[in-house]
Amino acid sequence: MRIFFIFWVLCLLLMACGEYSQKATKHSEELNAKVKPASNVTKAHNLSVAKQLPFSNDLDFRLAKRGFIATIPGAQVTNAMGREVYGLAQMQFLEGAPKDTVNPSLWRQAQLNALNNGLFEVVEGIYQVRSLDLANMTLIKGETGWIVIDPLTSMETAAAGLALANRELGNRPVSAVIFTHSHADHFAGVAGVLTMQQLAEGSVEIIAPDGFSEEAISENVRSGNVMQRRALYQFGDLLPSSPDGFVSSGLGNRVSDGEHGIATPTQLIPEEGAEMKIDGVDIIFMSTPGAEAPTEMVFFFPQFNALCMSEIANHTLHNIYTLRGAKTRDALAWSRYIERAMEKFGGDTQVVFSSHHWPTWGNSEALDYLVKQRDLYKYIHDQTLRLANHGHDMIEIAEQIQLPEALSHTWANRGYYGTVNVGAKAVYNRYLGYFDGNPSNLHPLPQEEAALHYVEYMGGEEEIMKRARQDFSQGNYRWVAMVLKHLVFAEPKNQEARYLLADAFEQLGYQAESGIWRNFYLSGARELRHGVEFREEMQPPEEIVARVPLQLLFDAMAVRLNGEKAAEADIRLNIEMTDNKNKYLVVVKNGVLHGYPDRHSEDPSASLALSSTDLRLMFSGLVGAPTMIKEGRLKVRGNPLALIQFGRLFDKFDRNFNLVTP
């Protein structure tokens, strides 16, 4: 009996221990999955930044407030359903002193961006709506109405900004629209300042640089899925607004989450520039293609002595390569465009304003600002190539380049968006590509396969974790991130490795001066702790799809074609567009898709007749072929099975693929 009693007590103890162990494990996991405070190493790093930079200089705070007229409470903008598409109420924590979890230089930039929002006067007759979206919307008072420059990212924020100006300055129609360049935060809100009827009729002049339509669409067509996934990291869309989450993108605040659109320009500014009178306002345009954007322009207003530098000059070092993914930009051309603008307009300029941030007033002040922006990009360009010609590789160069104090202690040159490190790598890559000349790097193993070997060579996961914890405690976060990447890729279910890697990312994010570096690090930490945050697939608006040039559409389809599935296919589709009588031939052969305008095959697999709009909708996957056939919008002659076979050859991209795990 006594033995039974002892056995029974032991069982209870074991059960209790098991329950305690489970609770302890659960508690440990919950603790590991939580956001952590700044470590002592991070606190020391951020304190050193505070001591190095001229924080007593408050000129930018005075400039950012200058000309303030009014704002919207909380900078909150909602859509027709009442859903918030933009708002800064959660950013009020920035009104205090810098927190340990934010680089104090980035905190300063975040304050300048978020806490100075609304409508501002640049000079009498020129006004800006700032921090009601990622970019600025500028309003020029013409003889009959507003000339709107860059109508923001979404219809809702553009409409709210225009309504604010009309309320405070007097109601005026929009007499013209100017798109400075081909990035969506400068044109996609156009339907908020023009009606659909005005857009359809082209009754309001829309001026843009030559090549605008193709570049505005193409950047997001061929590599759109991967670029959108990475943009979630870059702009901190996955992060809450808080001192240990999103604080700024450096270039501005968040991107608005409303309705996006596009409009076809009625007038294009050629590469050699142009002079125009728009609604009684003289404007001198200077084209600047291939630097900050594939197609862009800056312009001068003689009657206001005002120079608009678009996104060529900002109160930050900009991206020579953007982390969301895009073509590498030309730093030398960028510098030369700023030089040319100074030569052309500098003598008469009394104020410089841009598509982001706040203006600079006064001729000498404006020129000093532009000189330092010019030299910023040229220094990175020239010194990268100098070190490359000494035999240094891309990583070595990025670690070595330090701006001279005359440039680095200028607040407008700090790396809040782009960084010297990434800029140097971009210049190297533009001239020399990713390969550094070392044969070891010529044909490396894929990272998942390499990770298995790294883990084995380093003595296995226990030894790696032991040493990684030691390095983490010493503040060697970059090294911990490099090492644990291999362990996570070799053993993706190793929660301890994921949590420690997340902790390393987090501290690196807290130290980052660049808003988008911070967003990448903290987004990676969040994903390691909680997994991929599923987001619904976004279908492009039919309005945008209907404007996609057909050749771009076929380029995008060619990217989605599964080469293995299509290797043996031989399909020729004749396409007749019923609305404009244009024709196309689409061919799939040798695992490749080609689209040929103004051509038909004498022996097609099938012939399709539909409108040009329906062709775009069908090939974009927005409306299926069976639906169009049923509704009488698509007629098929020849072998209908060829169209079915054709449709089965294309991949559907997953918007929620992994970034920090296999």
mmCIF file of all heavy atoms in Angstrom, residues 394-419:
data_model
loop_
_atom_site.group_PDB
_atom_site.id
_atom_site.type_symbol
_atom_site.label_atom_id
_atom_site.label_comp_id
_atom_site.label_asym_id
_atom_site.label_seq_id
_atom_site.Cartn_x
_atom_site.Cartn_y
_atom_site.Cartn_z
ATOM 1 N N MET A 394 33.312 45.270 -53.227
ATOM 2 C CA MET A 394 32.140 46.083 -52.920
ATOM 3 C C MET A 394 31.922 46.236 -51.415
ATOM 4 O O MET A 394 31.643 47.342 -50.923
ATOM 5 C CB MET A 394 30.914 45.434 -53.572
ATOM 6 C CG MET A 394 29.611 46.150 -53.404
ATOM 7 S SD MET A 394 28.327 45.413 -54.444
ATOM 8 C CE MET A 394 28.170 43.784 -53.673
ATOM 9 N N ILE A 395 32.058 45.136 -50.665
ATOM 10 C CA ILE A 395 31.824 45.183 -49.220
ATOM 11 C C ILE A 395 32.901 46.002 -48.535
ATOM 12 O O ILE A 395 32.620 46.821 -47.641
ATOM 13 C CB ILE A 395 31.788 43.751 -48.625
ATOM 14 C CG1 ILE A 395 30.762 42.878 -49.367
ATOM 15 C CG2 ILE A 395 31.482 43.804 -47.141
ATOM 16 C CD1 ILE A 395 29.342 43.381 -49.284
ATOM 17 N N GLU A 396 34.152 45.812 -48.943
ATOM 18 C CA GLU A 396 35.256 46.564 -48.345
ATOM 19 C C GLU A 396 35.089 48.062 -48.580
ATOM 20 O O GLU A 396 35.308 48.881 -47.680
ATOM 21 C CB GLU A 396 36.586 46.092 -48.934
ATOM 22 C CG GLU A 396 36.955 44.672 -48.540
ATOM 23 C CD GLU A 396 38.109 44.104 -49.361
ATOM 24 O OE1 GLU A 396 38.416 44.665 -50.437
ATOM 25 O OE2 GLU A 396 38.681 43.093 -48.932
ATOM 26 N N ILE A 397 34.684 48.414 -49.788
ATOM 27 C CA ILE A 397 34.509 49.832 -50.128
ATOM 28 C C ILE A 397 33.410 50.450 -49.274
ATOM 29 O O ILE A 397 33.564 51.550 -48.722
ATOM 30 C CB ILE A 397 34.184 49.982 -51.625
ATOM 31 C CG1 ILE A 397 35.404 49.590 -52.472
ATOM 32 C CG2 ILE A 397 33.747 51.413 -51.947
ATOM 33 C CD1 ILE A 397 35.113 49.449 -53.942
ATOM 34 N N ALA A 398 32.298 49.731 -49.156
ATOM 35 C CA ALA A 398 31.162 50.251 -48.384
ATOM 36 C C ALA A 398 31.532 50.480 -46.926
ATOM 37 O O ALA A 398 30.999 51.392 -46.276
ATOM 38 C CB ALA A 398 29.981 49.290 -48.486
ATOM 39 N N GLU A 399 32.437 49.666 -46.388
ATOM 40 C CA GLU A 399 32.874 49.835 -45.005
ATOM 41 C C GLU A 399 33.852 50.995 -44.854
ATOM 42 O O GLU A 399 33.938 51.614 -43.787
ATOM 43 C CB GLU A 399 33.537 48.546 -44.501
ATOM 44 C CG GLU A 399 32.581 47.382 -44.309
ATOM 45 C CD GLU A 399 31.548 47.648 -43.233
ATOM 46 O OE1 GLU A 399 31.938 47.998 -42.105
ATOM 47 O OE2 GLU A 399 30.354 47.526 -43.539
ATOM 48 N N GLN A 400 34.591 51.321 -45.910
ATOM 49 C CA GLN A 400 35.655 52.321 -45.800
ATOM 50 C C GLN A 400 35.193 53.750 -46.029
ATOM 51 O O GLN A 400 35.724 54.682 -45.421
ATOM 52 C CB GLN A 400 36.765 52.016 -46.825
ATOM 53 C CG GLN A 400 37.594 50.791 -46.490
ATOM 54 C CD GLN A 400 38.723 50.604 -47.487
ATOM 55 O OE1 GLN A 400 39.555 51.483 -47.666
ATOM 56 N NE2 GLN A 400 38.734 49.455 -48.156
ATOM 57 N N ILE A 401 34.221 53.942 -46.911
ATOM 58 C CA ILE A 401 33.866 55.312 -47.292
ATOM 59 C C ILE A 401 33.188 56.042 -46.141
ATOM 60 O O ILE A 401 32.186 55.583 -45.593
ATOM 61 C CB ILE A 401 32.956 55.323 -48.537
ATOM 62 C CG1 ILE A 401 33.739 54.854 -49.766
ATOM 63 C CG2 ILE A 401 32.397 56.725 -48.790
ATOM 64 C CD1 ILE A 401 32.973 54.938 -51.058
ATOM 65 N N GLN A 402 33.753 57.169 -45.779
ATOM 66 C CA GLN A 402 33.180 58.065 -44.780
ATOM 67 C C GLN A 402 33.113 59.453 -45.399
ATOM 68 O O GLN A 402 34.090 59.935 -45.968
ATOM 69 C CB GLN A 402 34.050 58.091 -43.516
ATOM 70 C CG GLN A 402 34.236 56.747 -42.839
ATOM 71 C CD GLN A 402 32.957 56.248 -42.180
ATOM 72 O OE1 GLN A 402 32.132 57.035 -41.722
ATOM 73 N NE2 GLN A 402 32.783 54.939 -42.136
ATOM 74 N N LEU A 403 31.980 60.099 -45.293
ATOM 75 C CA LEU A 403 31.855 61.448 -45.845
ATOM 76 C C LEU A 403 32.733 62.420 -45.063
ATOM 77 O O LEU A 403 32.884 62.294 -43.843
ATOM 78 C CB LEU A 403 30.407 61.925 -45.760
ATOM 79 C CG LEU A 403 29.369 61.177 -46.592
ATOM 80 C CD1 LEU A 403 27.983 61.741 -46.296
ATOM 81 C CD2 LEU A 403 29.670 61.271 -48.078
ATOM 82 N N PRO A 404 33.312 63.415 -45.735
ATOM 83 C CA PRO A 404 34.016 64.470 -44.988
ATOM 84 C C PRO A 404 33.025 65.226 -44.109
ATOM 85 O O PRO A 404 31.826 65.293 -44.403
ATOM 86 C CB PRO A 404 34.588 65.362 -46.097
ATOM 87 C CG PRO A 404 33.809 65.041 -47.321
ATOM 88 C CD PRO A 404 33.349 63.623 -47.187
ATOM 89 N N GLU A 405 33.512 65.803 -43.028
ATOM 90 C CA GLU A 405 32.628 66.415 -42.041
ATOM 91 C C GLU A 405 31.763 67.518 -42.649
ATOM 92 O O GLU A 405 30.609 67.707 -42.246
ATOM 93 C CB GLU A 405 33.448 66.965 -40.877
ATOM 94 C CG GLU A 405 32.601 67.422 -39.705
ATOM 95 C CD GLU A 405 33.425 67.769 -38.479
ATOM 96 O OE1 GLU A 405 34.187 66.891 -38.015
ATOM 97 O OE2 GLU A 405 33.307 68.919 -38.002
ATOM 98 N N ALA A 406 32.288 68.254 -43.634
ATOM 99 C CA ALA A 406 31.511 69.328 -44.262
ATOM 100 C C ALA A 406 30.227 68.787 -44.887
ATOM 101 O O ALA A 406 29.222 69.497 -44.970
ATOM 102 C CB ALA A 406 32.351 70.032 -45.325
ATOM 103 N N LEU A 407 30.262 67.525 -45.326
ATOM 104 C CA LEU A 407 29.068 66.897 -45.895
ATOM 105 C C LEU A 407 28.290 66.126 -44.838
ATOM 106 O O LEU A 407 27.067 66.209 -44.770
ATOM 107 C CB LEU A 407 29.460 65.955 -47.043
ATOM 108 C CG LEU A 407 30.104 66.600 -48.276
ATOM 109 C CD1 LEU A 407 30.455 65.536 -49.308
ATOM 110 C CD2 LEU A 407 29.186 67.641 -48.892
ATOM 111 N N SER A 408 28.991 65.363 -44.002
ATOM 112 C CA SER A 408 28.299 64.475 -43.060
ATOM 113 C C SER A 408 27.600 65.227 -41.943
ATOM 114 O O SER A 408 26.616 64.743 -41.383
ATOM 115 C CB SER A 408 29.277 63.452 -42.462
ATOM 116 O OG SER A 408 30.209 64.082 -41.599
ATOM 117 N N HIS A 409 28.084 66.422 -41.588
ATOM 118 C CA HIS A 409 27.456 67.200 -40.522
ATOM 119 C C HIS A 409 26.396 68.165 -41.052
ATOM 120 O O HIS A 409 25.890 69.001 -40.311
ATOM 121 C CB HIS A 409 28.512 67.942 -39.702
ATOM 122 C CG HIS A 409 29.159 67.054 -38.677
ATOM 123 N ND1 HIS A 409 29.538 67.499 -37.432
ATOM 124 C CD2 HIS A 409 29.469 65.737 -38.697
ATOM 125 C CE1 HIS A 409 30.071 66.492 -36.741
ATOM 126 N NE2 HIS A 409 30.039 65.418 -37.494
ATOM 127 N N THR A 410 26.085 68.035 -42.315
ATOM 128 C CA THR A 410 24.948 68.743 -42.893
ATOM 129 C C THR A 410 23.737 67.837 -42.772
ATOM 130 O O THR A 410 23.723 66.727 -43.329
ATOM 131 C CB THR A 410 25.213 69.081 -44.375
ATOM 132 O OG1 THR A 410 26.341 69.951 -44.461
ATOM 133 C CG2 THR A 410 23.996 69.739 -45.016
ATOM 134 N N TRP A 411 22.718 68.284 -42.038
ATOM 135 C CA TRP A 411 21.588 67.404 -41.751
ATOM 136 C C TRP A 411 20.943 66.867 -43.025
ATOM 137 O O TRP A 411 20.509 65.709 -43.065
ATOM 138 C CB TRP A 411 20.547 68.136 -40.909
ATOM 139 C CG TRP A 411 20.948 68.356 -39.483
ATOM 140 C CD1 TRP A 411 21.223 69.542 -38.878
ATOM 141 C CD2 TRP A 411 21.116 67.349 -38.472
ATOM 142 N NE1 TRP A 411 21.551 69.349 -37.551
ATOM 143 C CE2 TRP A 411 21.494 67.999 -37.268
ATOM 144 C CE3 TRP A 411 20.987 65.952 -38.463
ATOM 145 C CZ2 TRP A 411 21.733 67.327 -36.082
ATOM 146 C CZ3 TRP A 411 21.227 65.274 -37.272
ATOM 147 C CH2 TRP A 411 21.601 65.950 -36.106
ATOM 148 N N ALA A 412 20.859 67.671 -44.068
ATOM 149 C CA ALA A 412 20.200 67.243 -45.309
ATOM 150 C C ALA A 412 20.956 66.121 -46.010
ATOM 151 O O ALA A 412 20.410 65.490 -46.925
ATOM 152 C CB ALA A 412 20.038 68.427 -46.264
ATOM 153 N N ASN A 413 22.190 65.860 -45.603
ATOM 154 C CA ASN A 413 22.985 64.799 -46.226
ATOM 155 C C ASN A 413 23.018 63.514 -45.410
ATOM 156 O O ASN A 413 23.677 62.548 -45.805
ATOM 157 C CB ASN A 413 24.428 65.277 -46.433
ATOM 158 C CG ASN A 413 24.559 66.265 -47.578
ATOM 159 O OD1 ASN A 413 23.577 66.600 -48.229
ATOM 160 N ND2 ASN A 413 25.770 66.727 -47.820
ATOM 161 N N ARG A 414 22.346 63.486 -44.273
ATOM 162 C CA ARG A 414 22.367 62.287 -43.443
ATOM 163 C C ARG A 414 21.600 61.151 -44.125
ATOM 164 O O ARG A 414 20.712 61.371 -44.939
ATOM 165 C CB ARG A 414 21.759 62.561 -42.066
ATOM 166 C CG ARG A 414 22.462 63.629 -41.254
ATOM 167 C CD ARG A 414 23.898 63.304 -40.942
ATOM 168 N NE ARG A 414 24.053 62.070 -40.177
ATOM 169 C CZ ARG A 414 25.221 61.554 -39.793
ATOM 170 N NH1 ARG A 414 26.353 62.169 -40.130
ATOM 171 N NH2 ARG A 414 25.266 60.438 -39.090
ATOM 172 N N GLY A 415 21.939 59.929 -43.749
ATOM 173 C CA GLY A 415 21.382 58.752 -44.424
ATOM 174 C C GLY A 415 20.071 58.279 -43.837
ATOM 175 O O GLY A 415 19.975 57.154 -43.339
ATOM 176 N N TYR A 416 19.039 59.113 -43.914
ATOM 177 C CA TYR A 416 17.738 58.740 -43.361
ATOM 178 C C TYR A 416 16.957 57.801 -44.284
ATOM 179 O O TYR A 416 16.061 57.095 -43.844
ATOM 180 C CB TYR A 416 16.898 59.988 -43.095
ATOM 181 C CG TYR A 416 17.540 60.945 -42.138
ATOM 182 C CD1 TYR A 416 17.847 62.241 -42.516
ATOM 183 C CD2 TYR A 416 17.853 60.544 -40.840
ATOM 184 C CE1 TYR A 416 18.444 63.125 -41.639
ATOM 185 C CE2 TYR A 416 18.456 61.420 -39.954
ATOM 186 C CZ TYR A 416 18.754 62.704 -40.361
ATOM 187 O OH TYR A 416 19.355 63.566 -39.486
ATOM 188 N N TYR A 417 17.286 57.826 -45.555
ATOM 189 C CA TYR A 417 16.575 57.002 -46.552
ATOM 190 C C TYR A 417 17.599 56.116 -47.266
ATOM 191 O O TYR A 417 17.688 54.931 -47.013
ATOM 192 C CB TYR A 417 15.826 57.919 -47.516
ATOM 193 C CG TYR A 417 14.803 57.218 -48.382
ATOM 194 C CD1 TYR A 417 13.825 56.404 -47.823
ATOM 195 C CD2 TYR A 417 14.779 57.416 -49.758
ATOM 196 C CE1 TYR A 417 12.873 55.775 -48.619
ATOM 197 C CE2 TYR A 417 13.826 56.806 -50.556
ATOM 198 C CZ TYR A 417 12.883 55.986 -49.986
ATOM 199 O OH TYR A 417 11.939 55.371 -50.779
ATOM 200 N N GLY A 418 18.413 56.713 -48.106
ATOM 201 C CA GLY A 418 19.573 55.996 -48.615
ATOM 202 C C GLY A 418 20.689 56.054 -47.579
ATOM 203 O O GLY A 418 20.603 56.749 -46.579
ATOM 204 N N THR A 419 21.760 55.314 -47.828
ATOM 205 C CA THR A 419 22.923 55.335 -46.938
ATOM 206 C C THR A 419 24.192 55.349 -47.773
ATOM 207 O O THR A 419 24.195 54.922 -48.934
ATOM 208 C CB THR A 419 22.965 54.091 -46.017
ATOM 209 O OG1 THR A 419 23.067 52.915 -46.831
ATOM 210 C CG2 THR A 419 21.710 53.999 -45.153
#
